[in-house]
Amino acid sequence: MHSTAEYDLECDQVSKHFGSVRAVDDVSFVIPKGSFFSILGPSGCGKTTLMRMIAGFEQPSSGDIRIKGRSVISTPPNRRNVKMVFQHLALFPMMNVYENIAYGLRCSGASKDVIRAKVHDVLERISLPDVANREITQLSGGQKQRIAIARCMVLDPDVLLLDEPLGALDLKLREAMKIELKLLQHQFDTTFVYITHDQSEALVMSDHVAIMNGGKFVQIGTPQELYHKPAAAFVAGFVGHTNRWAGRVSRVESGEVEVATDGGLSLRGIVRGTVSPQVGDIVNAYVRPEFITAQRSAGHNPQADAGQNTIEGRVDSILFNGANSRVLVKNRAGELIEADVVLTGDEQDLKPKDEVILSWPVAQTLSFKD
Amino acid sequence: MQKDIKRLSFLLLFAPFALWITLLIILPHLGMLHISLREKVAPRVYEFGFGNYLNFFNEPIYWNTLLRTGSMSLLVTLLALILGFPIAYYIAKIAGRRARGALFLMCLIPLWVSDLIRAFGWILLMRETGVISNTLQWAGVINAPIEFLYNDATVIMGLVYTTILFMIVPLVSTLDGMDDAMIEAGYNLGGNGPTVLRRIIIPYAMPGIVSGCIVVFMLTAGSYLTPILLGGKNSSWFTEQIYDQFITRYNWEAGAAFGFVLLAFTSLVIWGGLKLTGQTLNTTVARS
Ligand SMILES: Nc1ncnc2c1ncn2[C@@H]1O[C@H](COP(=O)(O)OP(=O)(O)O)[C@@H](O)[C@H]1O
Ligand SMILES: [Mg+2]
């Protein structure tokens, strides 16, 4: 055998077409053992379809899926050692918690004693040792979540698939469950493939994230890579918050471009993405708010630093959110720009209508030609 | 003030229902109960007693007919369930959104024709000189006309046909409420087709199954036209006995007593069925 068994899951040029809709289009990736892998993309980009192919509920139009190095294309869903936590959990309401967890073990023909021991063990591990005899309707949202995971984990799957399992929870519980899921994944030491359209879930929990759009994987990387080194305009715009300017290239020089924006600004930025722009091309420049500093202008414009972009504007509003506060600045062209600020609560703080100068490094101005 | 208005509107809304129940169901039954409990001692002279009921138990032909009606009704219920479940499953889970309405309508079509016409239609098909017999002769499968009417199989077939809709409707509505993900989860966790059916789909559909069975059993045990027309003299359906007492013998006392015996018997069977499946009337009616 070749060395592929070090990967729990491999997808090789997998595609799925529904009529003329390419729900999943030529997707390839590998997931190393025991990692937390997220697939992040807007709704309708094909995440669920991809997951259903891995679970065996859809047959790929082309391509191969391997689990632990073995192709599962012709294996029916109930024979694949891939378990799935459904979007609405799909716990069985006519069975109690114990029966729900025991169901899979019964299907595999385990003996009564083994079943009892395993169910109690897994309930212990998800820290719900006393709920075995409860009905599903008597559980809280977070408990149901954990039971749904336990029901899969008790079967010792090679890969656990989770399809937006936190979508139905309220915000506070969702925050708590994010951390809990990560801990559970560590504890079970199983590969989790987590699907979400919520970037904060993906960034917080994952070892690796694949950004998906229109049925294709745009970029795969660690959360830091995706955030700081987006390989495509879609990733730059989708992951994290960002300011965007569209404009025309007026000068190209060793990896740097000068962009004349539609609003009449001149910005310098570094080239990113697969296509290098030429003079006259249309590009999009992305700058994250945390790289922009806003200073009250002291009557005169500071000399433009070689490595900085500077523009003038007027504070439009303050978006106070504790340590994550921002200002919205309106420039001459009427564009709104977001910048992070530190608000200390004293006189020095920026206020609406203040004249400010925004500056940020050229190296943080990521320009993509699409 | 507000409370009074609320109470008044409740009474106004409730009144038609209460009237309907009282006038059309409770009062006639009380009347029947009264009639069933009087014995005729001389023309126009009656006295209170259980003689009519004792009569029923003393005459084997009566309770044999009741048992026969009961067991055949159970068989009809079972057949309606076995045939109706796949149809309901197809309508609720497999057919597309648009096909669903059309299929449902097709199940309803038989109800647009009255019982009587439907039964005569069957007679036209199945009698000795009917379409089926003639076709088979023409095709050379048989060489003499065959009478398909007036046997139990035909009666059962006719009853299944007329009642299956009442099985399908509650089944479709419970199965419709079942998330497809539940079935997929059943497979995903390692179950094969039969396991998923037995451990997940059927338990989930139980309220629908039980309420469908109750309705079909009641309708069948109380049906009159279909067994008489398709079964003829041999059908020995219990409702025929009741009809006989009321109309032919003009013995209302015995007829009323038989009516109550039938009511008690069907209630007993349904109670037993509910106990057996662990359902309560409440859950089945609410869920389906
Ligand atoms: N069974 C199906 N038949 C036809 N089109 C489908 C089917 N399932 C999904 N699609 C289409 O495939 C695309 C991707 O859907 P999905 O995988 O559910 O997206 P996501 O989970 O990312 O929101 C959508 O455009 C959807 O309409
Ligand atoms: Mg989805």
Side-chain angles (χ1 to χ4, degrees), chain A residues 48 87 163-164:
Chain A
T48 299
Q87 193 156 8
D163 188 358
E164 311 206 19

Side-chain angles (χ1 to χ4, degrees), chain A residues 53 68 126 159 178 229 235 241 291 307 309 311 330:
Chain A
M53 285 193 283
K68 291 254 189 245
I126 58 164
V159 177
K178 272 187 214 170
K229 299 196 177 67
V235 179
H241 231 81
F291 297 118
N309 284 306
I311 57 172
K330 192 175 254 176

